Amino acid sequence: SRWNVYVTNEIPKPALDMLEEFCDMEVNRTGKVLEKSVLLEKVKGRDAVLSLLTDPIDAEVMDAAKGAKIFANYAVGFNNIDIPAATERGIMVSNTPGVLTDTTAEMAWALLFSTARRVVESDKYSRMGKYEGWGPMLFLGQQVMNKTVGVIGAGRIGLSFAKRAKAFDMKVLYSDVAANPEFEKEADGQYVSLETLLQESDFVSVHTPLLPETHHLLGEREFKLMKNTAILINTSRGPVVNEAALVKALQTGEIWGAGLDVYEFEPEFAPGLLELDNAIVCPHIASATFETRTKMGIIAVTNILAAMRGELPPTCLNPEVFKKN
Ligand code: GLV
Ligand code: GLV
């Protein structure tokens, strides 16, 4: 029979159309993230929930959604979902890996170039009517080509990012919990300690998932290790970086710049961050292309439909639940 599905925010139409063909669905069309109390009400009596990374899917929400078989997260990251709690309750959880790998990697490069070459800052200057002609000292930035780039986290996105460094004749260093032969082969990356990476890189790009072990991976001590000319890029998860410490490092010139897409307490920015000219502050848009956001929706819906048919959802994060049922 048709499932009853709740979708916590509007996603691209092709995905909603696909869901609607096979399921009864309700979509939050307010354009806003649901208050927890509303979320708790809305998930009641559903067979499946299509959730966003901004929805905290904890034990309380799962208990409110009693009877739900799957939470399909519209994101590759799933730190917003308590997976052990889901597994305990026999609820499956899925994410949307693969389709945002290159999209996120290209955003990291966009931020890297924009920060290094002061694209946003100088654009603002022009609009403010300050441009009075070419100047030999106007908006000097950091050369990108032939420099060293350090990649923290050698997963799918880190690899896609690193592969492009070759085109700019850059040296690639990477750190992770273990060496990754595929990364070394495809990106010509050299495995080093985090400390070495921070000391030797001109650009540091973060591509780790948020885990207890990666929370505040970069803080005051790490910024001190980095070059004063270095640029930090973060398109992963905000809490991997101690944002207050980052603001201080940018204010004092401990590092030269930062290109950010994610924040420790989204949608808040750390005090002082928005006043800094040497930081670019994008609103978590690394996967935001027409192509990718549609594909993410199709994957989330495909997971729900598979679960409905009694099949293993293709990108299930806790397949042991499926095997048990
Ligand atoms: C975006 O941040 C995602 O995890 O998909
Ligand atoms: C810059 O515009 C140059 O011609 O050097």
Side-chain angles (χ1 to χ4, degrees):
S1 69
R2 285 170 80 84
W3 268 14
N4 182 334
V5 180
Y6 188 67
V7 181
T8 69
N9 214 320
E10 197 155 357
I11 59 169
K13 193 168 179 305
L16 290 179
D17 288 349
M18 181 177 166
L19 185 62
E20 202 166 29
E21 195 180 335
F22 301 101
C23 300
D24 297 328
M25 68 171 192
E26 188 189 340
V27 182
N28 163 29
R29 296 197 190 265
T30 63
K32 293 199 183 110
V33 175
L34 294 175
E35 296 281 336
K36 182 83 177 281
S37 58
V38 181
L39 181 63
L40 287 170
E41 272 309 305
K42 288 293 186 185
V43 298
K44 273 191 189 143
R46 311 289 181 175
D47 298 297
V49 176
L50 194 155
S51 59
L52 305 190
L53 63 94
T54 42
D55 302 315
I57 308 296
D58 54 16
E60 194 186 3
V61 173
M62 293 176 205
D63 289 338
K66 205 165 163 19
K69 272 62 121 206
I70 182 168
F71 279 84
N73 212 38
Y74 183 78
V76 66
F78 46 86
N79 52 288
N80 61 308
I81 303 191
D82 186 341
I83 307 258
T87 305
E88 225 172 81
R89 287 164 178 74
I91 301 173
M92 294 183 283
V93 176
S94 64
N95 67 340
T96 63
V99 294
L100 46 66
T101 302
D102 295 341
T103 315
T104 304
E106 72 185 20
M107 185 67 185
W109 279 111
L111 285 169
L112 191 157
F113 275 102
S114 304
T115 310
R117 301 305 306 273
R118 302 173 70 175
V119 172
V120 175
E121 193 188 348
S122 64
D123 173 280
K124 271 187 212 149
Y125 171 92
S126 301
R127 291 168 197 276
M128 285 168 75
K130 290 187 178 175
Y131 183 47
E132 290 176 349
W134 187 88
M137 301 301 282
L138 196 56
F139 287 107
L140 303 193
Q142 305 290 349
Q143 182 90 17
V144 174
M145 295 196 192
N146 297 300
K147 294 281 182 69
T148 297
V149 62
V151 181
I152 302 178
R156 287 181 296 258
I157 300 171
L159 173 57
S160 174
F161 171 82
K163 268 161 51 177
R164 323 295 160 181
K166 238 184 263 175
F168 306 118
D169 300 319
M170 298 172 87
K171 177 174 169 185
V172 177
L173 305 178
Y174 78 101
S175 72
D176 205 325
V177 288
N180 178 348
E182 186 197 358
F183 188 97
E184 289 174 20
K185 189 162 153 268
E186 291 195 25
D188 206 8
Q190 187 186 328
Y191 186 56
V192 294
S193 68
L194 178 60
E195 197 157 297
T196 301
L197 181 147
L198 294 169
Q199 285 169 334
E200 294 184 6
S201 296
D202 299 296
F203 305 95
V204 173
S205 193
V206 182
H207 299 282
T208 57
L210 176 60
L211 303 165
E213 303 77 50
T214 59
H215 181 263
H216 282 192
L217 187 65
L218 301 182
E220 190 183 348
R221 181 184 156 268
E222 289 70 30
F223 298 132
K224 285 217 158 71
L225 288 173
M226 288 169 70
K227 299 180 183 182
N228 296 141
T229 50
I231 291 174
L232 175 72
I233 305 300
N234 190 6
T235 54
S236 68
R237 282 291 181 267
V240 175
V241 173
N242 180 335
E243 200 171 307
L246 173 62
V247 169
K248 200 161 154 234
L250 289 166
Q251 284 168 341
T252 58
E254 195 65 67
I255 69 170
W256 195 80
L260 307 173
D261 189 50
V262 289
Y263 306 90
E264 190 167 358
F265 302 105
E266 288 178 28
E268 306 294 329
F269 299 96
L273 180 62
L274 296 184
E275 283 75 59
L276 290 169
D277 285 328
N278 56 345
I280 293 182
V281 286
C282 288
H284 203 150
I285 57 166
S287 69
T289 63
F290 295 105
E291 296 89 339
T292 288
R293 287 289 167 86
T294 298
K295 287 181 194 159
M296 287 166 67
I298 299 289
I299 292 186
V301 169
T302 300
N303 277 281
I304 291 172
L305 297 181
M308 186 174 88
R309 297 185 187 112
E311 295 158 13
L312 175 66
T315 58
C316 186
L317 291 159
N318 54 353
E320 60 270 30
V321 170
F322 177 81
K323 283 174 199 128
K324 227 164 93 195
N325 296 345

